[in-house]
Amino acid sequence: MVVPVPARPYDFPFDPANAAFVIIDMQRDFMEPGGFGAALGNDVSLLASAIAPISAVLDSCRAAGMLVIHTREGHRPDLSDLPGAKHRRGRGDTRIGDDGPMGRILVRGEAGHDIIPELAPVAGEPVIDKPGKGAFYATDLETILRQRGITQLILAGVTTEVCVHTTMREANDRGFECLLLSDGTASYFPEFHRMALEMACAQDGIFGWVAPSRDVVTAISTYRGINS
Ligand code: C5J
């Protein structure tokens, strides 16, 4: 059943039964001081605006029984999945694998790698650990989505122009319809955030759709009302 969501560049033909909410990298390493984002010289407070919109959509999706997927960017403790080309970039004092206030930077199992408590996964929600920016690269995300018959992705998380965009582009080439939450994504660079949203829906939706969280929440409520 399709519940249209007002979106750019035109209404998104939302089909909640075949959609997943994919929350990208809402990890302490990006959101809090002392993690990977801060090590690269960023003001991490700029990402906080995404938390409440994501939380609102997350509550709706859970209530509607939709598939929710969380991703985390990070590496094995022995860094065997960390390409030198990635390791060498970012020439600050602290790099991936180094010790920081939340444990080793961007390493699986460390406190900084955890998803922030406000958006913590619950039982049954797959958590995809990814070594790259895109959530499809070197993960089983596509298998999980295909097994569930998912054809549409509602994408949220950080950062808009890096991991969210990379994942949207990978998903687009795999035939998934993607909607980006305009307020449930954020960047350390507000201008990049704005342009990343523009890029997604330019050219009549070259990569997909963009809509605010409230319109997705309303659509999910409508869907629940029809199906109750
Ligand atoms: C970055 C991400 N920005 N999750 N990762 O390095 O966007």
Short mmCIF file of all heavy atoms in Angstrom, two decimals, residues 16 18-19 25 54 75 78 103 117 122 126 129-130 137 139 142-143 146 194 206 216-217 220:
data_model
loop_
_atom_site.label_atom_id
_atom_site.label_comp_id
_atom_site.label_asym_id
_atom_site.label_seq_id
_atom_site.Cartn_x
_atom_site.Cartn_y
_atom_site.Cartn_z
N PRO A 16 5.44 1.46 3.11
CA PRO A 16 6.09 1.07 4.38
C PRO A 16 6.32 -0.43 4.54
O PRO A 16 7.29 -0.84 5.17
CB PRO A 16 5.12 1.61 5.44
CG PRO A 16 4.43 2.75 4.77
CD PRO A 16 4.27 2.33 3.33
N ASN A 18 7.37 -2.45 2.50
CA ASN A 18 8.58 -2.87 1.77
C ASN A 18 9.72 -1.87 1.92
O ASN A 18 10.61 -1.79 1.07
CB ASN A 18 8.24 -3.07 0.28
CG ASN A 18 7.27 -4.23 0.11
OD1 ASN A 18 7.56 -5.35 0.51
ND2 ASN A 18 6.09 -3.94 -0.43
N ALA A 19 9.66 -1.10 3.01
CA ALA A 19 10.69 -0.07 3.24
C ALA A 19 11.45 -0.39 4.53
O ALA A 19 10.91 -0.98 5.46
CB ALA A 19 10.03 1.31 3.36
N ASP A 25 25.57 5.40 11.05
CA ASP A 25 26.75 5.84 11.84
C ASP A 25 26.46 6.87 12.93
O ASP A 25 27.26 7.80 13.13
CB ASP A 25 27.84 6.38 10.90
CG ASP A 25 28.31 5.37 9.88
OD1 ASP A 25 27.84 4.21 9.92
OD2 ASP A 25 29.14 5.72 9.03
N ILE A 54 15.58 11.83 13.97
CA ILE A 54 15.78 10.38 13.77
C ILE A 54 14.98 9.61 14.82
O ILE A 54 14.32 8.61 14.51
CB ILE A 54 17.28 10.01 13.85
CG1 ILE A 54 18.05 10.64 12.70
CG2 ILE A 54 17.45 8.49 13.85
CD1 ILE A 54 19.56 10.42 12.76
N HIS A 75 36.64 -0.40 12.45
CA HIS A 75 37.61 -1.38 11.97
C HIS A 75 37.90 -2.45 13.03
O HIS A 75 37.69 -2.25 14.22
CB HIS A 75 38.89 -0.66 11.55
CG HIS A 75 38.63 0.24 10.38
ND1 HIS A 75 38.59 -0.21 9.09
CD2 HIS A 75 38.29 1.57 10.32
CE1 HIS A 75 38.27 0.79 8.28
NE2 HIS A 75 38.08 1.86 9.01
N ASP A 78 42.74 -5.33 15.01
CA ASP A 78 44.09 -5.45 14.43
C ASP A 78 44.25 -4.56 13.18
O ASP A 78 45.31 -4.59 12.52
CB ASP A 78 44.42 -6.91 14.10
CG ASP A 78 43.52 -7.51 13.02
OD1 ASP A 78 42.66 -6.77 12.46
OD2 ASP A 78 43.67 -8.71 12.72
N GLY A 103 38.31 5.30 24.06
CA GLY A 103 38.97 4.08 23.58
C GLY A 103 39.64 4.34 22.24
O GLY A 103 39.79 5.48 21.81
N PRO A 117 23.36 6.56 22.98
CA PRO A 117 22.30 5.90 23.75
C PRO A 117 20.89 6.27 23.30
O PRO A 117 19.99 5.43 23.33
CB PRO A 117 22.54 6.37 25.19
CG PRO A 117 23.86 7.04 25.21
CD PRO A 117 24.32 7.29 23.81
N VAL A 122 17.50 -1.92 19.29
CA VAL A 122 16.82 -2.88 20.18
C VAL A 122 16.90 -4.26 19.53
O VAL A 122 17.27 -4.39 18.36
CB VAL A 122 15.35 -2.47 20.44
CG1 VAL A 122 15.28 -1.12 21.14
CG2 VAL A 122 14.53 -2.46 19.16
N PRO A 126 18.98 -5.27 12.89
CA PRO A 126 20.35 -5.57 12.46
C PRO A 126 21.27 -4.36 12.60
O PRO A 126 20.87 -3.23 12.34
CB PRO A 126 20.18 -5.94 10.97
CG PRO A 126 18.74 -6.29 10.81
CD PRO A 126 17.99 -5.48 11.82
N ASP A 129 28.18 -3.57 10.63
CA ASP A 129 29.51 -2.99 10.83
C ASP A 129 30.21 -2.89 9.49
O ASP A 129 30.36 -3.88 8.78
CB ASP A 129 30.31 -3.84 11.81
CG ASP A 129 29.90 -3.55 13.25
OD1 ASP A 129 29.52 -2.40 13.55
OD2 ASP A 129 29.93 -4.48 14.07
N LYS A 130 30.62 -1.68 9.17
CA LYS A 130 31.17 -1.44 7.83
C LYS A 130 32.54 -0.78 7.94
O LYS A 130 32.73 0.13 8.74
CB LYS A 130 30.21 -0.56 7.02
CG LYS A 130 29.96 0.82 7.60
CD LYS A 130 28.86 1.53 6.82
CE LYS A 130 28.63 2.94 7.25
NZ LYS A 130 29.74 3.86 7.04
N TYR A 137 29.33 -1.73 0.97
CA TYR A 137 30.68 -2.23 0.70
C TYR A 137 31.16 -3.15 1.83
O TYR A 137 31.20 -2.74 3.00
CB TYR A 137 31.66 -1.05 0.52
CG TYR A 137 33.08 -1.52 0.46
CD1 TYR A 137 33.53 -2.26 -0.64
CD2 TYR A 137 33.96 -1.29 1.50
CE1 TYR A 137 34.83 -2.75 -0.69
CE2 TYR A 137 35.26 -1.76 1.47
CZ TYR A 137 35.68 -2.49 0.38
OH TYR A 137 36.96 -2.99 0.34
N THR A 139 29.84 -5.66 3.34
CA THR A 139 28.85 -5.99 4.39
C THR A 139 27.78 -6.92 3.80
O THR A 139 27.72 -7.11 2.59
CB THR A 139 28.13 -4.74 4.94
OG1 THR A 139 27.19 -4.28 3.96
CG2 THR A 139 29.09 -3.63 5.31
N GLU A 142 22.97 -5.84 1.71
CA GLU A 142 22.09 -6.11 0.57
C GLU A 142 21.37 -7.45 0.74
O GLU A 142 20.17 -7.56 0.46
CB GLU A 142 22.90 -6.11 -0.73
CG GLU A 142 21.99 -6.29 -1.95
CD GLU A 142 22.68 -6.01 -3.28
OE1 GLU A 142 23.89 -5.71 -3.29
OE2 GLU A 142 21.97 -6.09 -4.31
N THR A 143 22.07 -8.45 1.24
CA THR A 143 21.43 -9.75 1.46
C THR A 143 20.27 -9.62 2.44
O THR A 143 19.18 -10.16 2.21
CB THR A 143 22.47 -10.76 2.02
OG1 THR A 143 23.57 -10.81 1.13
CG2 THR A 143 21.88 -12.14 2.19
N ARG A 146 17.32 -7.84 0.70
CA ARG A 146 16.66 -8.69 -0.31
C ARG A 146 15.85 -9.79 0.36
O ARG A 146 14.76 -10.12 -0.06
CB ARG A 146 17.69 -9.32 -1.25
CG ARG A 146 18.57 -8.31 -2.00
CD ARG A 146 17.93 -7.80 -3.27
NE ARG A 146 18.88 -6.93 -3.98
CZ ARG A 146 18.56 -5.80 -4.58
NH1 ARG A 146 17.32 -5.36 -4.57
NH2 ARG A 146 19.46 -5.07 -5.20
N ARG A 194 23.53 21.05 3.03
CA ARG A 194 22.52 21.64 2.15
C ARG A 194 22.73 21.17 0.70
O ARG A 194 21.78 20.76 0.03
CB ARG A 194 22.61 23.16 2.24
CG ARG A 194 21.40 23.90 1.72
CD ARG A 194 21.54 25.41 1.92
NE ARG A 194 22.58 26.01 1.09
CZ ARG A 194 22.50 26.19 -0.23
NH1 ARG A 194 21.41 25.83 -0.87
NH2 ARG A 194 23.49 26.74 -0.91
N ILE A 206 17.71 12.54 -9.19
CA ILE A 206 18.79 11.74 -9.79
C ILE A 206 19.18 10.56 -8.88
O ILE A 206 19.50 9.48 -9.34
CB ILE A 206 20.01 12.62 -10.15
CG1 ILE A 206 21.01 11.89 -11.02
CG2 ILE A 206 20.70 13.17 -8.92
CD1 ILE A 206 20.71 11.93 -12.47
N VAL A 216 7.41 12.05 7.07
CA VAL A 216 7.55 10.60 7.09
C VAL A 216 6.77 10.02 8.28
O VAL A 216 6.06 9.01 8.15
CB VAL A 216 9.04 10.20 7.15
CG1 VAL A 216 9.21 8.70 7.34
CG2 VAL A 216 9.75 10.66 5.88
N VAL A 217 6.86 10.70 9.42
CA VAL A 217 6.11 10.25 10.61
C VAL A 217 4.60 10.27 10.32
O VAL A 217 3.88 9.32 10.64
CB VAL A 217 6.46 11.13 11.83
CG1 VAL A 217 5.50 10.88 12.99
CG2 VAL A 217 7.90 10.88 12.26
N ILE A 220 3.65 7.36 8.13
CA ILE A 220 3.65 6.08 8.85
C ILE A 220 2.40 5.99 9.74
O ILE A 220 1.79 4.92 9.85
CB ILE A 220 4.96 5.89 9.65
CG1 ILE A 220 6.15 5.80 8.70
CG2 ILE A 220 4.88 4.65 10.53
CD1 ILE A 220 7.51 5.81 9.37
#
